[in-house]
Amino acid sequence: MFAFISLLFIALLIALVTVAISKGKLPYNFESPEKRAGRYGERFATQIIGEILKENDTLLTNLHIVAAGKQCELDNVVINNRGVFIIEVKNYTGELFGEEDDEQWIKNKITLGGSFYQETIRNPIKQVNRQIYITSQYLKEYGLDTWVEGYVFFVEMNSPVVSKRVLVTQKDIDDAIHYGYNNKLTVDKKNKIVELLKMK
């Protein structure tokens, strides 16, 4: 009798997992390698950004912004007296091909088993340009006309283009958020931006 109940339990567990897989509702252990790599990349980037933050910097992560009927997710946003800086993280492995203005890029990869595959990915520079627009519109809805900058950080240093929007080292991140054009945000304005972004 005990053996029958054990077999019944195992069969039920297999059925539940099968249903979850078919509906795309997988438990944590079943997440795709791409999602796992993305999460690792985001944690890594957040750590190295944290290492270079200064006293007046505020770092917010994993924000969801909605404005002008559009929405986007932001991996990392640094707010300081210079302005608002979006840092989108990409942990693509393999070789990337594309131009700054292309809608899609190509990713070539050889698996551990030696198989070659190719896929198209959305151009992350276009993605961050969209994030800049939506974040700017969101702040304008609250009366804050603030310059927003955005960058893509390639964890694997494999961007196919050299661009002002592309960061590949910790020093690149430091330079982007601490040097160059200065918006000279007041403390009050900076704090208001932080609070508005935290709401999302």
Side-chain angles (χ1 to χ4, degrees):
M1 182 69 175
F2 178 75
F4 174 75
I5 292 173
S6 296
L7 287 173
L8 188 61
F9 175 77
I10 291 169
L12 180 61
L13 185 60
I14 291 170
L16 288 172
V17 169
T18 303
V19 169
I21 290 172
S22 68
K23 293 189 175 185
K25 296 179 178 176
L26 302 177
Y28 175 79
N29 292 341
F30 288 92
E31 78 177 345
S32 72
E34 292 80 11
K35 284 191 176 180
R36 192 174 306 119
R39 283 192 310 103
Y40 165 77
E42 288 172 15
R43 284 198 309 269
F44 173 74
T46 299
Q47 177 183 333
I48 68 168
I49 292 168
E51 290 172 0
I52 59 170
L53 291 182
K54 297 185 178 179
E55 184 178 350
N56 293 326
D57 296 331
T58 299
L59 172 63
L60 303 177
T61 61
N62 301 316
L63 302 179
H64 184 79
I65 303 292
V66 179
K70 301 178 187 298
Q71 60 181 334
C72 67
E73 293 182 7
L74 309 175
D75 293 337
N76 297 277
V77 182
V78 176
I79 308 99
N80 59 28
N81 66 307
R82 290 192 55 238
V84 178
F85 303 91
I86 297 167
I87 302 175
E88 175 68 17
V89 180
K90 295 301 180 189
N91 192 20
Y92 296 131
T93 56
E95 194 170 8
L96 304 179
F97 298 91
E99 301 293 334
E100 186 165 0
D101 293 326
D102 292 344
E103 290 298 323
Q104 304 280 336
W105 286 358
I106 294 171
K107 181 175 85 164
N108 292 342
K109 185 176 178 183
I110 297 176
T111 66
L112 292 176
S115 300
F116 171 83
Y117 75 88
Q118 184 177 84
E119 64 178 329
T120 58
I121 57 173
R122 184 178 173 194
N123 179 345
I125 297 174
K126 294 269 188 184
Q127 180 183 351
V128 85
N129 286 338
R130 182 175 182 273
Q131 293 172 344
I132 292 167
Y133 171 76
I134 294 172
T135 304
S136 297
Q137 291 300 117
Y138 172 71
L139 295 175
K140 282 179 184 175
E141 288 177 4
Y142 289 91
L144 294 169
D145 191 2
T146 302
W147 183 259
V148 177
E149 273 293 347
Y151 304 92
V152 185
F153 175 65
F154 287 83
V155 174
E156 296 293 326
M157 301 185 195
N158 58 349
S159 172
V161 298
V162 175
S163 166
K164 68 176 185 177
R165 293 263 183 253
V166 171
L167 308 174
V168 293
T169 68
Q170 188 180 48
K171 182 180 184 306
D172 290 343
I173 297 172
D174 187 31
D175 288 345
I177 65 178
H178 294 131
Y179 305 102
Y181 180 73
N182 194 333
N183 285 321
K184 297 182 180 175
L185 295 182
T186 65
V187 173
D188 287 345
K189 190 171 185 180
K190 180 212 159 192
N191 290 341
K192 187 171 182 183
I193 290 169
V194 170
E195 290 307 310
L196 287 172
L197 292 176
K198 277 184 176 178
M199 286 169 44
K200 303 312 276 178

